Amino acid sequence: MTSDHETSTHFGYSEVGLDEKQGLVDDVFHKVARRYDIMNDLMSAGMHRLWKDEFAAKVRARREGFRHLDVAGGTGDVAFRIAKASPADAKIVVLDINGDMLDVGRDRANERGLADKLEFVQANAESLPFPDAHFDAYTIAFGIRNVPRIEVALAEAHRVLKPGGRFLCLEFSQVSVPGLDKIYEAYSFNVIPAIGKLVAGDSEPYRYLVESIRRFPRAEEFERMIRRAGFRRTGFERLTGGVVAIHSGWKL
């Protein structure tokens, strides 16, 4: 968590300059872009697919003219789910700061015949290139913890949503089942980097991903951050013993 007056933030367990973090995060995702979804399967034993199914189903993009923004969604995993469940005239913008991730998403959208519904935009979550009150819903899955200034990104989410629009965030959380937390900790710090080394040829990006999960605010604190950004009727739902949580808020 950072404020406007801070000049440093965390990159995993390291302290870095606030203006350095985005470049370091970009480098991580440049390295893993083409293997990102394979690694998600290996790291989560396929559970990320079920989490994203439940997450995307909450959008309920059923009315005509629906406009949706999926942030940090470069490879399209969440956007594809929403596109398939939305009306023919729905427009879904997939925004990511990383061009390599967006290239993967565009290729996958063409393969699935979804390119007409989707627009891919390279931009920063802290400075969205859209007018006020433009979207009906905003999603961000496993991306908010990589943003240098989370409060700024949340304020931008609130700005671009229409009144009555919904903010949804899927993010790793804190395991709430006694015993499972120790197993998960050991798995995260020992097994996941080893899998990254084996499959992607580099363990360091996955070590960062694990460390970034540990540094992310607890679910209760993140809900307070969402409320401070102006959202109301906020809440969160823990999945898989608290490994992840779906956070929600409304612009009222």
Side-chain angles (χ1 to χ4, degrees):
M1 187 167 54
T2 63
S3 74
D4 291 341
H5 304 293
E6 292 177 355
T7 58
S8 66
T9 185
H10 59 83
F11 176 73
Y13 285 160
S14 302
E15 289 294 318
V16 299
L18 192 59
D19 57 353
E20 292 179 74
K21 179 171 178 175
Q22 192 62 68
L24 293 168
V25 171
D26 287 350
D27 187 54
V28 167
F29 287 96
H30 283 308
K31 290 177 179 177
V32 304
R34 291 288 165 182
R35 295 182 175 90
Y36 185 67
D37 292 308
I38 294 171
M39 282 302 303
N40 281 340
D41 280 328
L42 293 172
M43 289 192 299
S44 70
M47 289 298 295
H48 78 103
R49 297 176 183 272
L50 300 178
W51 298 331
K52 289 170 182 172
D53 285 346
E54 186 161 348
F55 179 61
K58 292 183 180 295
V59 174
R60 299 186 179 90
R62 298 184 184 128
R63 64 181 174 275
E64 292 183 359
F66 193 86
R67 285 182 179 170
H68 183 81
L69 176 62
D70 183 43
V71 174
T75 62
D77 250 14
V78 171
F80 298 155
R81 288 166 166 82
I82 295 167
K84 289 174 183 175
S86 63
D89 66 344
K91 289 298 180 184
I92 297 156
V93 176
V94 181
L95 182 141
D96 204 296
I97 200 168
N98 190 290
D100 289 342
M101 299 287 277
L102 289 168
D103 287 343
V104 173
R106 288 189 190 95
D107 291 346
R108 297 177 72 202
N110 287 326
E111 290 167 4
R112 289 162 172 75
L114 294 171
D116 289 346
K117 271 191 178 181
L118 299 171
E119 179 184 358
F120 290 84
V121 174
Q122 185 169 3
N124 193 321
E126 295 182 6
S127 182
L128 298 173
F130 308 110
D132 296 354
H134 190 67
F135 292 99
D136 296 289
Y138 172 118
T139 51
I140 182 166
F142 303 124
I144 195 79
R145 73 182 190 281
N146 297 314
V147 175
R149 296 179 298 173
I150 293 174
E151 295 95 335
V152 176
L154 291 173
E156 277 290 271
H158 189 272
R159 180 184 69 78
V160 301
L161 279 170
K162 298 175 183 178
R166 192 177 190 187
F167 167 86
L168 286 161
C169 174
L170 173 63
E171 190 52 86
F172 287 103
S173 194
Q174 298 78 35
V175 175
S176 56
V177 177
L180 179 59
D181 54 347
K182 300 297 183 186
I183 296 170
Y184 180 59
E185 186 88 1
Y187 175 78
S188 296
F189 281 97
N190 296 300
V191 178
I192 289 176
I195 292 174
K197 179 70 173 177
L198 181 66
V199 175
D202 190 352
S203 63
E204 285 308 306
Y206 297 95
R207 192 172 304 281
Y208 159 71
L209 293 174
V210 170
E211 291 175 356
S212 70
I213 292 166
R214 294 299 175 273
R215 290 297 301 262
F216 191 69
R218 297 187 66 82
E220 294 82 1
E221 172 57 23
F222 186 50
E223 181 183 4
R224 287 191 286 272
M225 293 171 70
I226 294 168
R227 286 190 64 82
R228 286 197 294 270
F231 291 101
R232 295 297 176 259
R233 290 171 57 193
T234 60
F236 61 88
E237 175 186 358
R238 291 188 172 98
L239 306 179
T240 317
V243 172
V244 300
I246 297 175
H247 288 265
S248 173
W250 297 83
K251 181 176 179 178
L252 300 179

Short mmCIF file of all heavy atoms in Angstrom, two decimals, residues 80 83-84 106-118:
data_model
loop_
_atom_site.label_atom_id
_atom_site.label_comp_id
_atom_site.label_asym_id
_atom_site.label_seq_id
_atom_site.Cartn_x
_atom_site.Cartn_y
_atom_site.Cartn_z
N PHE A 80 -12.88 -13.54 -22.16
CA PHE A 80 -13.52 -14.53 -23.02
C PHE A 80 -14.76 -15.10 -22.35
O PHE A 80 -15.80 -15.31 -23.00
CB PHE A 80 -12.56 -15.67 -23.35
CG PHE A 80 -11.33 -15.25 -24.13
CD1 PHE A 80 -10.18 -16.00 -24.06
CD2 PHE A 80 -11.34 -14.11 -24.91
CE1 PHE A 80 -9.04 -15.62 -24.76
CE2 PHE A 80 -10.20 -13.71 -25.61
CZ PHE A 80 -9.05 -14.47 -25.54
N ALA A 83 -17.43 -12.43 -22.56
CA ALA A 83 -17.88 -12.25 -23.95
C ALA A 83 -18.87 -13.34 -24.35
O ALA A 83 -19.88 -13.07 -25.02
CB ALA A 83 -16.68 -12.25 -24.89
N LYS A 84 -18.60 -14.57 -23.96
CA LYS A 84 -19.47 -15.68 -24.34
C LYS A 84 -20.84 -15.59 -23.70
O LYS A 84 -21.83 -16.09 -24.25
CB LYS A 84 -18.80 -17.01 -23.96
CG LYS A 84 -17.60 -17.35 -24.82
CD LYS A 84 -16.89 -18.60 -24.31
CE LYS A 84 -15.65 -18.91 -25.13
NZ LYS A 84 -14.88 -20.06 -24.58
N ARG A 106 -4.86 -11.37 -28.10
CA ARG A 106 -5.39 -11.17 -29.45
C ARG A 106 -5.37 -12.47 -30.25
O ARG A 106 -6.35 -12.81 -30.95
CB ARG A 106 -4.55 -10.11 -30.19
CG ARG A 106 -4.75 -8.70 -29.70
CD ARG A 106 -4.05 -7.71 -30.62
NE ARG A 106 -4.02 -6.38 -30.04
CZ ARG A 106 -3.00 -5.89 -29.34
NH1 ARG A 106 -1.92 -6.63 -29.13
NH2 ARG A 106 -3.06 -4.66 -28.84
N ASP A 107 -4.27 -13.20 -30.17
CA ASP A 107 -4.18 -14.48 -30.88
C ASP A 107 -5.26 -15.44 -30.41
O ASP A 107 -5.92 -16.11 -31.23
CB ASP A 107 -2.80 -15.12 -30.67
CG ASP A 107 -1.68 -14.36 -31.36
OD1 ASP A 107 -1.99 -13.51 -32.22
OD2 ASP A 107 -0.51 -14.60 -31.04
N ARG A 108 -5.47 -15.50 -29.12
CA ARG A 108 -6.48 -16.41 -28.56
C ARG A 108 -7.89 -15.96 -28.93
O ARG A 108 -8.77 -16.81 -29.17
CB ARG A 108 -6.32 -16.51 -27.04
CG ARG A 108 -4.99 -17.10 -26.59
CD ARG A 108 -4.86 -17.10 -25.09
NE ARG A 108 -5.73 -18.10 -24.49
CZ ARG A 108 -6.15 -18.04 -23.22
NH1 ARG A 108 -5.80 -17.05 -22.44
NH2 ARG A 108 -6.92 -18.99 -22.74
N ALA A 109 -8.14 -14.65 -28.97
CA ALA A 109 -9.46 -14.15 -29.34
C ALA A 109 -9.79 -14.51 -30.79
O ALA A 109 -10.92 -14.91 -31.11
CB ALA A 109 -9.52 -12.63 -29.16
N ASN A 110 -8.80 -14.41 -31.66
CA ASN A 110 -9.02 -14.79 -33.06
C ASN A 110 -9.30 -16.28 -33.19
O ASN A 110 -10.18 -16.69 -33.96
CB ASN A 110 -7.79 -14.41 -33.89
CG ASN A 110 -7.68 -12.91 -34.12
OD1 ASN A 110 -8.69 -12.22 -34.24
ND2 ASN A 110 -6.46 -12.40 -34.15
N GLU A 111 -8.58 -17.09 -32.45
CA GLU A 111 -8.78 -18.54 -32.49
C GLU A 111 -10.19 -18.91 -32.03
O GLU A 111 -10.78 -19.88 -32.51
CB GLU A 111 -7.76 -19.23 -31.59
CG GLU A 111 -6.33 -19.18 -32.12
CD GLU A 111 -5.32 -19.60 -31.06
OE1 GLU A 111 -5.75 -20.01 -29.95
OE2 GLU A 111 -4.11 -19.53 -31.34
N ARG A 112 -10.74 -18.15 -31.09
CA ARG A 112 -12.05 -18.46 -30.52
C ARG A 112 -13.20 -17.76 -31.23
O ARG A 112 -14.35 -17.91 -30.84
CB ARG A 112 -12.06 -18.08 -29.03
CG ARG A 112 -11.22 -18.99 -28.16
CD ARG A 112 -10.89 -18.35 -26.81
NE ARG A 112 -10.24 -19.28 -25.91
CZ ARG A 112 -8.98 -19.67 -26.02
NH1 ARG A 112 -8.22 -19.19 -27.01
NH2 ARG A 112 -8.46 -20.51 -25.13
N GLY A 113 -12.90 -16.97 -32.24
CA GLY A 113 -13.95 -16.25 -32.95
C GLY A 113 -14.60 -15.14 -32.14
O GLY A 113 -15.76 -14.80 -32.35
N LEU A 114 -13.85 -14.55 -31.20
CA LEU A 114 -14.40 -13.52 -30.31
C LEU A 114 -13.85 -12.13 -30.59
O LEU A 114 -14.13 -11.19 -29.86
CB LEU A 114 -14.11 -13.90 -28.85
CG LEU A 114 -14.80 -15.15 -28.32
CD1 LEU A 114 -14.26 -15.51 -26.94
CD2 LEU A 114 -16.31 -14.94 -28.24
N ALA A 115 -13.05 -12.00 -31.63
CA ALA A 115 -12.35 -10.75 -31.88
C ALA A 115 -13.30 -9.56 -32.08
O ALA A 115 -12.97 -8.43 -31.71
CB ALA A 115 -11.43 -10.89 -33.10
N ASP A 116 -14.48 -9.78 -32.64
CA ASP A 116 -15.42 -8.68 -32.90
C ASP A 116 -15.94 -8.04 -31.61
O ASP A 116 -16.31 -6.86 -31.62
CB ASP A 116 -16.59 -9.17 -33.74
CG ASP A 116 -16.20 -9.47 -35.18
OD1 ASP A 116 -15.09 -9.05 -35.58
OD2 ASP A 116 -16.98 -10.13 -35.89
N LYS A 117 -16.01 -8.82 -30.54
CA LYS A 117 -16.54 -8.31 -29.29
C LYS A 117 -15.48 -7.65 -28.41
O LYS A 117 -15.81 -6.96 -27.45
CB LYS A 117 -17.16 -9.46 -28.47
CG LYS A 117 -18.62 -9.72 -28.74
CD LYS A 117 -19.15 -10.68 -27.70
CE LYS A 117 -20.62 -10.93 -27.91
NZ LYS A 117 -21.18 -11.86 -26.89
N LEU A 118 -14.22 -7.91 -28.72
CA LEU A 118 -13.14 -7.51 -27.83
C LEU A 118 -12.26 -6.44 -28.45
O LEU A 118 -11.97 -6.46 -29.65
CB LEU A 118 -12.27 -8.73 -27.48
CG LEU A 118 -12.98 -9.88 -26.76
CD1 LEU A 118 -12.08 -11.09 -26.69
CD2 LEU A 118 -13.39 -9.45 -25.37
#
